[in-house]
Amino acid sequence: MLIAVEHRETFTLHSRVYQLPKQPTVVVWVDGFDPEYLQSGLDSDLLPTFASFLKNGFHATGKSCMPLFTNPNNVSIITGAPPSIHGIAGNFFLDRSTGKETMICDDSLLRGSTLLEQMSQHGVRVAAITAKDKLRKILAHGLKGDAVCFSAEEASECTLAENGIADVEQCLGRPALSQYSADLSLYVLDAGIKLLQEDKSDFLYLMLSDYVQHKHGPGSPEADEFMKAIDDRLTKLAVMAIVGVTGGHGMSRKSNDAGEPDVLFLEDVLNAKIGENAARVICLITGPFVRHHGALGSFARVYLRDQSLLESVLAFCQALPETEVALSGEDAARKYDMPLDREGDIVVISTSSTVIRSCESEHDLSTVKDFPLRSHGGLSKQAVPVIMSRAVKDVQIASLRAWKNYKCL
């Protein structure tokens, strides 16, 4: 999402012309930004700044890209393109050439440039700050030496050479707290406010964590408190810059009536049906930062040892009660704008109330039993707010209905 303001230059990326901002601009990426969180806070009069943006600026409900995970949507927003173009189609993937399961934590699989890189190359002072360090190296792709790029998770480790900034904790007057806290996201916003106050950045991309949304539903005291804290910080940002806010995916409850995670152990089910080690299931939400969701999401890729079984296994997956959609990898890539060469043989998307894991023996569910599980990945939670602090003057743009979170305002 890139905000249309007064311009001084243009550049082209992925066959689209972008205009460089002439005044300070901030994009806030609220991970897990389901519209229900926004509406709950508005209904309770907790979010005066968001309310002002909606009244005096721009607001639409857009769709995030598939699959509904952090990496694909983050990269789509900073490239203005779907995963089929930029190549990042999950948080975790299977490298077919090596057979290794690998977490995506750098820009080695990224195809092409990013909006941040292009602005940096054109003289815009860019700052990209993320809650989780696993995304920092993707955000830093191609940034010039004067750019700032760091994570709240590793704020104490920042150096001028690596991050374009040092002594972050001293600058903000407090250390970054636990990965598993709302404060990690608020730290990102506080750092952005500080950079603007000290006139050290022209364009800020601030990426938050979805820890709170994984634990607490819309209208809960914890969620309302978190949204209010974001709103308070948006007030400060809006005084100094044009502000845009969007998200990467929604969030829904994935527990049964007893409060237990409702899990389809897909690899176990497939191997029982077609033979031991006949199928390999890769769950894209897997990563190092999973205590809040237990690596349980609603989108999985299936890899078969015997390709002649594709049609029968696909039909079996489609018939499972936990399945909302099951497609061949080729059909899924085409339908959801994902890179075919990084797709599985079969894609399985679970229903809105269930999640997918590979094998029950390899998974400890105890870490997600303190609260009823909430997660994402499937089709039911594609809707995210697309908000700007200023009104859109272009009537044609403002009237668009098919919004994506990475489409330009």
Side-chain angles (χ1 to χ4, degrees), residues 103 115 242 263 303 337 387:
M103 184 183 72
L115 299 171
I242 294 176
V263 187
Y303 297 82
D337 227 348
I387 300 169

Side-chain angles (χ1 to χ4, degrees), residues 310-361:
L310 178 60
E311 292 300 324
S312 61
V313 174
L314 176 58
F316 177 75
C317 290
Q318 291 169 338
L320 292 170
E322 299 90 349
T323 297
E324 179 172 354
V325 174
L327 297 167
S328 69
E330 183 176 350
D331 288 344
R334 184 184 307 110
K335 183 172 184 176
Y336 300 126
D337 227 348
M338 300 183 296
L340 178 58
D341 63 322
R342 292 177 180 169
E343 200 47 77
D345 298 317
I346 296 172
V347 163
V348 178
I349 302 172
S350 64
T351 61
S352 62
S353 62
T354 57
V355 287
I356 303 171
R357 246 345 260 179
S358 53
C359 303
E360 186 171 11
S361 62

Side-chain angles (χ1 to χ4, degrees), residues 347-392:
V347 163
V348 178
I349 302 172
S350 64
T351 61
S352 62
S353 62
T354 57
V355 287
I356 303 171
R357 246 345 260 179
S358 53
C359 303
E360 186 171 11
S361 62
E362 298 175 0
H363 206 73
D364 178 11
L365 297 179
S366 63
T367 62
V368 292
K369 291 189 176 182
D370 51 345
F371 294 94
L373 177 67
R374 299 176 56 77
S375 197
H376 52 91
L379 295 168
S380 64
K381 286 297 178 178
Q382 275 190 282
V384 290
V386 180
I387 300 169
M388 192 168 77
S389 62
R390 301 281 180 88
V392 175

Side-chain angles (χ1 to χ4, degrees), residues 43-343:
D43 290 344
S44 301
D45 294 323
L46 295 173
L47 309 178
T49 305
F50 272 114
S52 174
F53 289 178
L54 269 59
K55 179 180 179 180
N56 303 310
F58 174 86
H59 174 226
T61 298
K63 282 189 173 183
S64 48
C65 73
M66 289 293 288
L68 297 186
F69 295 118
T70 299
N71 280 9
N73 278 277
N74 175 63
V75 180
S76 285
I77 290 171
I78 65 169
T79 60
S84 60
I85 293 176
H86 62 64
I88 305 297
N91 299 353
F92 197 76
F93 81 107
L94 177 70
D95 186 336
R96 285 184 184 267
S97 65
T98 64
K100 285 186 60 178
E101 299 177 23
T102 306
M103 184 183 72
I104 298 173
C105 55
D106 60 33
D107 58 349
S108 60
L109 294 178
L110 177 66
R111 291 168 173 160
S113 185
T114 73
L115 299 171
L116 304 179
E117 176 185 19
Q118 290 300 311
M119 283 190 284
S120 177
Q121 298 293 339
H122 284 78
V124 177
R125 295 177 300 168
V126 171
I129 309 173
T130 175
K132 309 171 189 177
D133 197 67
K134 70 173 187 174
L135 289 161
R136 176 180 56 84
K137 290 182 179 179
I138 296 178
L139 296 181
H141 178 81
L143 295 184
K144 293 180 64 176
D146 58 352
V148 172
C149 186
F150 69 94
S151 71
E153 181 186 354
E154 297 194 0
S156 63
E157 307 298 323
C158 290
T159 66
L160 285 172
E162 177 73 14
N163 309 99
I165 191 170
D167 302 323
V168 173
E169 293 181 322
Q170 293 89 327
C171 181
L172 292 183
R174 64 190 179 100
L177 298 183
S178 165
Q179 296 179 39
Y180 300 102
S181 71
D183 188 71
L184 196 71
S185 292
L186 304 182
Y187 203 88
V188 172
L189 294 170
D190 290 341
I193 291 167
K194 188 72 171 179
L195 288 175
L196 282 178
Q197 289 173 338
E198 296 182 354
D199 189 27
K200 292 182 177 178
S201 181
D202 304 313
F203 187 94
L204 293 95
Y205 180 74
L206 307 178
M207 183 182 171
L208 312 188
S209 152
D210 58 0
Y211 170 77
V212 171
Q213 295 90 331
H214 270 290
K215 291 293 186 183
H216 308 288
S220 65
E222 296 87 350
D224 281 347
E225 181 182 358
F226 180 57
M227 289 299 299
K228 185 179 185 304
I230 293 174
D231 190 88
D232 291 343
R233 286 157 173 82
L234 291 179
T235 305
K236 297 178 181 180
L237 290 169
V239 170
M240 299 180 284
I242 294 176
V243 179
V245 188
T246 190
H249 53 76
M251 193 77 69
S252 62
R253 178 169 167 146
K254 306 289 189 179
S255 300
N256 57 29
D257 293 340
E260 297 286 328
D262 199 349
V263 187
L264 166 64
F265 291 101
L266 184 56
E267 189 169 311
D268 287 342
V269 170
L270 291 178
N271 287 337
K273 174 69 176 178
I274 60 178
E276 193 67 23
N277 299 320
R280 192 168 180 182
V281 173
I282 301 296
C283 300
L284 279 61
I285 198 172
T286 305
F289 190 83
V290 300
R291 198 174 76 198
H292 51 319
H293 55 64
L296 296 165
S298 296
F299 188 109
R301 293 187 168 117
V302 179
Y303 297 82
L304 300 173
R305 293 188 183 278
D306 184 350
Q307 294 297 308
S308 70
L309 297 176
L310 178 60
E311 292 300 324
S312 61
V313 174
L314 176 58
F316 177 75
C317 290
Q318 291 169 338
L320 292 170
E322 299 90 349
T323 297
E324 179 172 354
V325 174
L327 297 167
S328 69
E330 183 176 350
D331 288 344
R334 184 184 307 110
K335 183 172 184 176
Y336 300 126
D337 227 348
M338 300 183 296
L340 178 58
D341 63 322
R342 292 177 180 169
E343 200 47 77

Side-chain angles (χ1 to χ4, degrees), residues 11-18 79-82 85 112-113 115 118 408:
F11 64 88
T12 301
L13 179 62
H14 301 307
S15 303
R16 188 178 296 167
V17 176
Y18 292 91
T79 60
I85 293 176
S113 185
L115 299 171
Q118 290 300 311
C408 294

